[in-house]
Amino acid sequence: MCGIVGGIAQRDIVPIIVEGLKRLEYRGYDSAGAAVLHDGKLERVRRVGRVAEMENQVAAQGLSGGVGIGHTRWATHGGVTENNAHPHISRDEIAVVHNGIIENHEAQRQRLAALGYVFESQTDTEVIAHLVHYYYRQSHDLVWATRKTVAELHGAYAIGVIALASPDLICCARMGCPLLIGRGDGENFFASDVSALLSETRRVVYLDEGDVAALTRDGVRITDRDGHAVLRVERLSEVSADAIELGPYDHYMQKEIHEQPRATADTLEGVIDGGIRPDLFGAGAETTFEQIDSVLILASGTSYYAGLVGRQWLESLAKIPCNVELGHEYRYRDSIPNPRQLVVTISQSGETLDTMEALKRAKSLGHEHTLSICNVQESALPRNSKLVFYTRAGAEIGVASTKAFTTQLCALFILALTLAKQRGHLVAESEHAHLEALRQLPGSVQHALNLEPQIKVWAEHFSDKHHALFLGRGLHYPIALEGALKLKEISYIHAEAYPAGELKHGPLALVDEAMPVVVIAPNDSLLEKVKSNMQEVRARGGQLYVFADLDSQFGEAEAVHVIRTPRHAGLLSPIIHAIPVQLLAYHAALKKGTDVDKPRNLAKSVTVE
């Protein structure tokens, strides 16, 4: 899940690479580096740490050139060291940057060592540099050498390659990891994310699986996996430069939490304006939905928790069986295929490798009815799915997902309503009520955001804690899971979540005055059960932090702290209650002084298994 960027131009490419890497730093920030061709030399800068460290060395070294590649790393093979940082160079002639993972790198390493190549790193990427060099030495054709190299790689990759003896050319290739070309006038670029190029161009070409592209100053040549010349559609990116600026906010996570009223409103626009209808999910959706008898949701991380909520909506509203699986588990187990099942993949980026590979597995088993819920246009999952619903959250840069999660929930609720209506389980009166609730949702999200001052006070109590427990029941158990995930990933407080009824079956042993217990307690049919579980905590000296509704019938007491969200939002309540757990994690992390947008050991777009 590294970030790569490069380009070829008449002007100095280094400032563009540095700026692009800053935009891509959410994809990895263990180390960064760049390599350029300049005055007959291949020059490189690498530094451990953030892109700013590399930028300082670039300035000190006076690095410049019209052809270059850059990389920001999230470590997989090998520790966080300068030798393991990209770009990797083979014999001072070939430089390579790589996002992904090469599964057969050990065999290739042994082969190349036998051929006399010396390895300076522990990475899988260095074998790519040496393989390109090996084939380039035979042909002096960088495109041919790149094609020969990728044909021998097993795994996932997006690569950029430059050669000292080919100063007017960059080669790049992709398989399983995202890669796009940015078109300019007399200059061309490549990157793993369009955000890296928005300051230079919005004209983009998305490469397909197996594509190899040759970039010159005057044009781009693309060949497919079979070596045939192809034309890929040039598009004008809808992402604006303003969308990825911090503006008045201190962190991207803060910005993205506060963008949720607009993100939910934009995502719901189609159903609010046009009503509940299958074509919201693409052409042919009505026919597809008529042919299905169950739903399988495949996702990872936060998206998996959205799927857990979606399962309850689908079964309650549409009366259709639904299962939810982690993509990396589904891919490797013996499952029973059902050709009449709708396979729904959920991903913010549309490039999550676990989920992408799970979709491939499902399709190989005969699942033809596929739907992607995704936030990024033209990403891998939508391109490989029959149907698609694009959430309209806008660019999400913070590693901890916030607005992507709530908009995924919106999409799943729309899917549940659509299937319910088509299957005859949604009468007109109920349809009207659900649409009205959706119209009010952005306002309710804003009301939840208004609780921030109270949540900041709570965060003071969490800043010196090492453990926390989150509880919820029914629709809100996944929100407890999401709250625990957010707290641990950005504040590094160990947090776990359980269905509240499970408390007495083991987790209660952990409860004492040093472990805060966060409870999601809306005024629904399970509230009285949740209150009983809260009493179990109080009896053991635990401190309760309860997110309730305005109309919940209980108040604060000793060791019971209560914040009330807007009045109970019915089936949409999980979306409302997601907001305060996000804010709690954010402010607890601020109190602890952690890096909110770039938590240790994590990166945004997980393109490795």
Side-chain angles (χ1 to χ4, degrees):
M1 60 187 89
C2 307
I4 64 175
V5 63
I8 179 168
Q10 297 290 347
R11 53 181 168 149
D12 183 10
I13 201 73
V14 172
I16 298 171
I17 291 174
V18 171
E19 181 62 26
L21 291 179
K22 289 178 179 178
R23 300 292 190 189
L24 293 174
E25 200 168 16
Y26 71 91
R27 300 178 68 95
Y29 33 89
D30 295 335
S31 59
V36 297
L37 300 176
H38 182 64
D39 287 343
K41 296 179 182 179
L42 174 56
E43 300 180 351
R44 174 177 63 178
V45 167
R46 296 184 296 176
R47 281 292 180 269
V48 169
R50 301 296 168 82
V51 172
E53 298 292 327
M54 184 207 77
E55 183 180 18
N56 291 337
Q57 184 59 28
V58 163
Q61 191 169 315
L63 191 71
S64 66
V67 181
I69 54 178
H71 184 276
T72 180
R73 182 173 186 245
W74 184 82
T76 52
H77 295 82
V80 182
T81 67
E82 188 169 306
N83 278 349
N84 288 332
H86 299 213
H88 289 287
I89 291 179
S90 179
R91 297 186 176 177
D92 296 323
E93 295 177 3
I94 300 291
V96 170
V97 289
H98 166 226
N99 172 32
I101 192 164
I102 305 304
E103 295 174 355
N104 63 332
H105 72 99
E106 290 182 353
Q108 292 289 354
R109 180 181 285 256
Q110 293 174 7
R111 170 195 170 195
L112 289 160
L115 290 170
Y117 287 93
V118 177
F119 285 82
E120 300 177 351
S121 77
Q122 301 165 296
T123 68
D124 56 338
T125 302
E126 195 174 358
V127 304
I128 304 175
H130 292 321
L131 273 174
V132 173
H133 181 272
Y134 174 73
Y135 286 118
Y136 186 73
R137 188 175 56 181
Q138 297 176 22
S139 64
H140 300 286
D141 183 336
L142 188 59
V143 178
W144 182 85
T146 302
R147 288 196 57 81
K148 287 286 289 184
T149 296
V150 298
E152 298 187 11
L153 302 179
H154 301 161
Y157 56 79
I159 63 173
V161 187
I162 57 176
L164 180 62
S166 296
D168 298 315
L169 179 66
I170 293 180
C171 281
C172 51
R174 73 161 294 240
M175 179 68 74
C177 292
L179 195 65
L180 58 90
I181 307 299
R183 302 297 305 272
D185 296 324
E187 56 190 18
N188 288 292
F189 314 94
F190 73 88
S192 48
D193 190 311
V194 70
S195 63
L197 304 179
L198 287 176
S199 62
E200 307 305 322
T201 183
R202 293 178 59 199
R203 296 165 53 200
V204 297
V205 176
Y206 293 91
L207 297 183
D208 281 2
E209 293 280 273
D211 281 356
V212 175
L215 280 61
T216 64
R217 292 176 180 84
D218 298 326
V220 176
R221 303 188 312 276
I222 302 173
T223 54
D224 64 17
R225 68 177 73 202
D226 297 319
H228 301 136
V230 291
L231 293 175
R232 302 298 183 203
V233 177
E234 182 179 307
R235 305 175 187 276
L236 191 65
S237 173
E238 295 182 2
V239 180
S240 68
D242 290 343
I244 57 175
E245 297 292 342
L246 263 178
Y249 298 98
D250 294 324
H251 304 93
Y252 280 108
M253 185 176 181
Q254 180 189 31
K255 175 178 183 279
E256 288 155 12
I257 288 173
H258 283 270
E259 286 176 340
Q260 287 176 109
R262 170 52 58 190
T264 54
D266 288 347
T267 299
L268 294 170
E269 184 178 16
V271 71
I272 296 301
D273 291 346
I276 299 165
R277 60 193 195 281
D279 64 4
L280 291 166
F281 298 88
E286 183 172 7
T287 300
T288 296
F289 292 163
E290 288 172 350
Q291 296 172 351
I292 65 171
D293 63 6
S294 58
V295 177
L296 170 64
I297 296 175
L298 301 172
S300 300
T302 287
S303 298
Y304 172 73
Y305 298 152
L308 293 178
V309 177
R311 174 176 64 186
Q312 298 194 49
W313 283 335
L314 285 161
E315 295 194 342
S316 176
L317 292 169
K319 314 299 181 187
I320 188 169
C322 179
N323 193 21
V324 187
E325 295 205 40
L326 292 162
H328 46 80
E329 293 295 317
Y330 171 82
R331 182 188 178 191
Y332 294 108
R333 74 173 187 84
D334 290 329
S335 57
I336 301 173
N338 174 10
R340 297 193 63 193
Q341 197 166 50
L342 177 67
V343 176
V344 179
T345 52
I346 310 174
S347 168
Q348 187 280 138
S349 66
E351 63 185 60
T352 307
L353 189 62
D354 295 332
T355 309
M356 187 66 229
E357 293 300 323
L359 174 61
K360 291 179 182 178
R361 167 71 172 166
K363 292 169 73 173
S364 74
L365 294 175
H367 290 277
E368 297 181 356
H369 307 310
T370 56
L371 164 66
S372 169
I373 294 174
C374 180
N375 191 44
V376 179
Q377 299 274 338
E378 293 300 317
S379 51
L381 278 169
R383 290 205 308 269
N384 286 274
S385 299
K386 185 176 181 181
L387 305 174
V388 62
F389 185 100
Y390 285 113
T391 56
R392 297 173 63 188
E396 189 179 65
I397 305 299
V399 167
S401 183
T402 52
K403 61 179 180 174
F405 176 69
T406 48
T407 54
Q408 287 169 356
L409 290 175
C410 291
L412 287 163
F413 192 74
I414 295 170
L415 176 63
L417 291 179
T418 302
L419 292 178
K421 184 176 181 178
Q422 188 160 337
R423 294 165 66 86
H425 298 301
L426 189 65
V427 299
E429 183 178 353
S430 295
E431 179 179 354
H432 175 77
H434 287 308
L435 286 173
E436 184 58 31
L438 289 172
R439 289 188 185 95
Q440 295 178 10
L441 181 62
S444 297
V445 169
Q446 182 59 57
H447 289 161
L449 287 169
N450 294 343
L451 301 171
E452 188 167 13
Q454 299 173 60
I455 294 170
K456 287 175 69 174
V457 174
W458 276 16
E460 297 274 0
H461 303 163
F462 281 74
S463 61
D464 63 344
K465 299 297 188 291
H466 299 287
H467 307 278
L469 194 62
F470 283 69
L471 303 176
R473 296 190 78 140
L475 277 170
H476 297 86
Y477 166 52
I479 304 306
L481 286 166
E482 176 65 4
L485 175 63
K486 285 292 163 286
L487 188 66
K488 69 182 120 186
E489 68 181 335
I490 63 167
S491 75
Y492 316 147
I493 297 171
H494 172 239
E496 299 292 341
Y498 285 89
E502 194 70 8
L503 189 64
K504 57 187 175 292
H505 295 293
L508 197 57
L510 298 171
V511 172
D512 60 20
E513 67 279 357
M515 175 182 275
V517 179
V518 180
V519 186
I520 315 299
N523 189 22
D524 59 13
S525 61
L526 292 172
L527 179 59
E528 292 306 316
K529 298 292 185 184
V530 173
K531 287 181 179 179
S532 297
N533 302 136
M534 289 166 54
Q535 292 301 325
E536 296 168 3
V537 173
R538 289 189 68 187
R540 275 76 180 179
Q543 292 283 325
L544 286 159
Y545 295 85
V546 185
F547 289 114
D549 293 333
L550 282 177
D551 44 4
S552 295
Q553 299 302 311
F554 64 91
E556 293 203 15
E558 184 179 355
V560 181
H561 315 275
V562 181
I563 291 178
R564 301 185 187 280
T565 65
R567 64 180 180 79
H568 185 48
L571 288 175
L572 294 174
S573 178
I575 299 175
I576 306 304
H577 280 271
I579 309 303
V581 298
Q582 294 170 357
L583 288 169
L584 178 62
Y586 173 73
H587 285 288
L590 291 186
K591 295 297 180 184
K592 291 180 70 69
T594 62
D595 191 332
V596 173
D597 286 335
K598 300 180 180 68
R600 67 188 183 198
N601 305 333
L602 301 178
K604 182 70 175 175
S605 300
V606 186
T607 56
V608 297
E609 287 190 277

